[in-house]
Amino acid sequence: MEQRSHVRIGVEYSAAFSGSSYRADGTVLNLSMVGCRCRTGMVVQSGDTLRLLIHVPRYEHPLYVALAEVRWSQGQEFGVEFIHMELEDRHRLAQVIRG
């Protein structure tokens, strides 16, 4: 069994995804400091890059991931690695992970 180096929490946050040729709404299913698992009606491919807005209920403004890369895709679910986030969003993400 693969051992993860970052804490991953189960969530159900609405999200918006945008790539070079699409925009879609969906759900973030789990979240860590380095990435997340998502579900959306669009099929995305491994290697795609996208931007994410993650709507965390306790925050007025969504978390913004300026650049993420799809690492795996299976049906309507996929996993992304966060490549670039502004420092403020990274701090807010850490607060979410800590609970």
Side-chain angles (χ1 to χ4, degrees):
M1 187 161 122
E2 180 185 343
Q3 194 72 4
R4 294 192 185 273
S5 58
H6 295 277
V7 173
R8 188 169 292 262
I9 61 168
V11 297
E12 213 169 307
Y13 296 150
S14 64
F17 311 97
S18 56
S20 58
S21 61
Y22 63 85
R23 293 180 68 118
D25 292 327
T27 305
V28 170
L29 303 172
N30 68 31
L31 193 56
S32 78
M33 286 302 297
V34 296
C36 63
R37 180 180 190 140
C38 309
R39 181 186 315 124
T40 188
M42 295 207 46
V43 175
V44 298
Q45 302 297 317
S46 182
D48 285 356
T49 57
L50 46 82
R51 293 176 300 281
L52 283 88
L53 287 173
I54 303 170
H55 301 279
V56 178
R58 69 181 185 219
Y59 292 139
E60 182 178 348
H61 301 289
L63 294 174
Y64 176 58
V65 180
L67 180 63
E69 185 171 339
V70 177
R71 294 299 184 194
W72 61 268
S73 177
Q74 186 173 31
Q76 294 183 332
E77 291 190 6
F78 59 98
V80 299
E81 178 183 357
F82 301 150
I83 305 298
H84 179 73
M85 290 178 78
E86 294 296 330
L87 190 57
E88 180 182 338
D89 286 302
R90 195 162 289 282
H91 285 308
R92 293 191 309 145
L93 174 60
Q95 290 175 338
V96 171
I97 301 297
R98 283 193 304 266

